[in-house]
Amino acid sequence: MNNLIPPYADKLTALIGTPERQAALKLEARDLVSIDLTPRQTADLELLINGGYSPLTGYMNRVDYDSVAASMRLANGTFWPVPIALEVTEKIGANLVSGVRVALRDAEGFMLAVLTVGDVWPVEGKVRMGGALEGAGLPQHHDFTELRQTPEEMRHQFARRGWRRILAFQPEHALFRPQYDFIVECARSHEASLLLHPVAGEMPADEVEYFARIHGYEAVLARSTLASTALALLPLPDHGGGLRTALLKAIVARNYGCTHVVLEGVAESELAPYSAGLGLHLISLPAMVYVEAEGKHLPTTKAHGQVTKEILSAEELHRRLERGQDIPEWFAFPEVVAALRRAYPPRPMQGVCIFFTGFSGSGKSTLAKALMVRLLELGGRQVTLLDGDIVRKHLSSELGFSREHRDLNIRRIGYVASEIVKHRGVAICAPIAPYAATRHAVRHMIEQYGGFFEIHVATPIEVCESRDRKGLYAKARAGLVKEFTGVSDPYEVPKSPELVIDTSDIGVDEAVQRILLKLEREGYLR
């Protein structure tokens, strides 16, 4: 590996010891305080212990952290763009002091490293820590294991293949023809091999979109016209984008053995001052257009007045996928489009949640049950009803009716509905759901997987009270039932629901028909 570019700051600081040392750390960890890491923290830890963040040997102590935040330099003067420390809750950090050893585990409890705590300091309701790390093992990945290589393993592969000049591209989204045409031309012009190094640092392994994206990269690799192209996954978490994140990506690329790197979202003029100090050729990914006469994409500045086509925006791409419309081959390889269509099916194949909200007695449950029957009658969909009373019995039987417990109950309903929608079913929910913030959280939880239709059953409270067979309103007005929505606790009226229905002046069949027409207009019913 002597002919490869040396790691940043000349030393690859992988922090995993011998198998014997790893076993000793795992044994020691049984008696240590444990911290369970988030997916983002686990990704950062992986790059710390596999050498991707060389020359760091652990989390930054306060003097380094503050120096990097202020000037992008460690206290010793070494350039470093992004502060890297471990943040925990005040409760966890309360008993942690300098010198204490702590076991770091992933979300499943797998032991990854031991941290010898250095500095500990408070920040915005949390506690931030620095300290030295010893790795007990890399995070376990069960997906695309053949594509996950450490910097040392990647360097061995490059040396074995005789690669010396290597251009890295670290996309965070699917790879389309504009980016592909540019990076291939860059690799050729710099006489470099190409490493496709897509970011996969904190991707849930059950996300269909994630698998579609990786399969798309594999399809692009199979189509590559370069003699020397490789694909590996980069366990880098989201550090917010911008210049600092781009420069961190460049350092990581060098640690993996790359001499050139194409960076997105940062102008060439911003990158230029850092190229010499990092020892890398930093290349900005420019705005691209498709030039029909040449049958390829070119930077906008090089199109020279030729007939061009604007590349599709992310919004337009998703719109076409949702509607089953054509994605032109000049923009994306057919194999990439096929993979994306599996992740983003047209609306008639997507999951959808119909979320009724309104006072007790407004007619939510009646409408929900009638809608379920009509959808089952239409066929082609798996339909699940999550009625408020049913959920209370089977999912939230231990909860009371305080604001906190009602909020938790709605969030549980939202989680179950999101799983149904994720798997392309129909979830019909009919809780009171009086609080706007909770309904917004449920919407956000579900819309990442499919459709969400909030239906405000706006039956006046006087009508609801007249229908009250259980006598709950009377008990609430007598003070026997506490925190009752509409009497002793507020109902926050939805500001922009998809539908508003008042069951005091419309029948059940007509109301259900309005809902079905709305679903049909939005494309969720054939």
Side-chain angles (χ1 to χ4, degrees), residues 360-361 463-475 484:
S360 176
V463 176
C464 299
E465 194 164 355
S466 70
R467 297 172 175 174
D468 184 16
R469 291 174 294 180
K470 299 178 183 178
L472 295 176
Y473 280 96
K475 292 179 181 178
F484 191 84

Side-chain angles (χ1 to χ4, degrees), residues 63-64 66-81:
V63 63
D64 281 327
D66 290 347
S67 179
V68 168
S71 65
M72 293 201 290
R73 290 194 178 275
L74 298 169
N76 65 7
T78 301
F79 179 83
W80 190 271

Side-chain angles (χ1 to χ4, degrees), residues 212-226:
R213 187 161 64 92
I214 306 306
H215 287 313
Y217 299 138
E218 291 178 322
V220 169
L221 182 69
R223 272 184 171 262
S224 176
T225 57
L226 292 173

Side-chain angles (χ1 to χ4, degrees), residues 299-477:
T300 304
T301 55
K302 295 184 179 181
H304 301 308
Q306 300 183 69
V307 177
T308 64
K309 291 183 179 180
E310 295 289 335
I311 65 174
L312 302 185
S313 67
E315 293 77 15
E316 174 64 12
L317 174 67
H318 286 129
R319 187 188 69 81
R320 292 189 180 209
L321 290 170
E322 277 193 342
R323 299 185 181 186
Q325 295 177 334
D326 179 58
I327 308 295
E329 191 168 346
W330 59 261
F331 178 75
F333 292 122
E335 301 93 326
V336 174
V337 174
L340 288 173
R341 289 200 189 281
R342 290 193 290 272
Y344 299 100
R347 280 192 172 181
M349 298 176 61
Q350 288 181 22
V352 62
C353 174
I354 299 95
F355 192 92
F356 294 94
T357 173
F359 291 124
S360 176
S362 61
K364 302 183 304 299
S365 295
T366 301
L367 292 177
K369 291 172 184 175
L371 177 63
M372 177 184 70
V373 171
R374 287 295 305 278
L375 287 171
L376 290 172
E377 183 181 15
L378 290 172
R381 289 275 193 169
Q382 294 294 323
V383 184
T384 302
L385 175 61
L386 298 171
D387 183 68
D389 291 338
I390 295 172
V391 170
R392 277 279 179 180
K393 180 179 179 180
H394 296 287
L395 191 63
S396 299
S397 59
E398 87 285 6
L399 298 182
F401 290 90
S402 66
R403 179 171 184 136
E404 179 185 3
H405 279 195
R406 280 185 289 172
D407 182 82
L408 178 57
N409 181 54
I410 301 305
R411 290 176 185 272
R412 287 181 181 178
I413 290 172
Y415 171 74
V416 175
S418 73
E419 288 295 304
I420 293 167
V421 171
K422 181 195 295 185
H423 294 93
R424 301 178 186 175
V426 176
I428 302 175
C429 308
I432 293 173
Y435 310 127
T438 310
R439 295 194 301 263
H440 177 76
V442 169
R443 178 186 288 271
H444 177 73
M445 201 182 302
I446 291 169
E447 281 188 331
Q448 58 185 313
Y449 302 119
F452 184 88
F453 287 80
E454 183 179 57
I455 299 178
H456 179 205
V457 186
T459 308
I461 194 166
E462 297 80 12
V463 176
C464 299
E465 194 164 355
S466 70
R467 297 172 175 174
D468 184 16
R469 291 174 294 180
K470 299 178 183 178
L472 295 176
Y473 280 96
K475 292 179 181 178
R477 295 195 184 281

Side-chain angles (χ1 to χ4, degrees), residues 25-46:
L25 289 171
K26 291 176 181 178
L27 184 63
E28 179 191 3
R30 296 177 183 178
D31 300 319
L32 299 179
V33 172
S34 288
I35 295 176
D36 293 335
L37 305 179
T38 65
R40 182 181 185 282
Q41 290 172 330
T42 301
D44 263 338
L45 180 65
E46 182 168 359

Side-chain angles (χ1 to χ4, degrees), residues 72 79 81-82 242-252 263 266 270-271 274-275 278 280 282:
M72 293 201 290
F79 179 83
V82 177
L243 177 62
R244 286 179 180 252
T245 298
L247 296 173
L248 179 64
K249 283 185 171 184
I251 288 173
V252 172
L263 298 165
V266 185
E270 293 182 89
L271 295 174
Y274 300 98
S275 187
L278 294 179
L280 282 168
L282 308 181

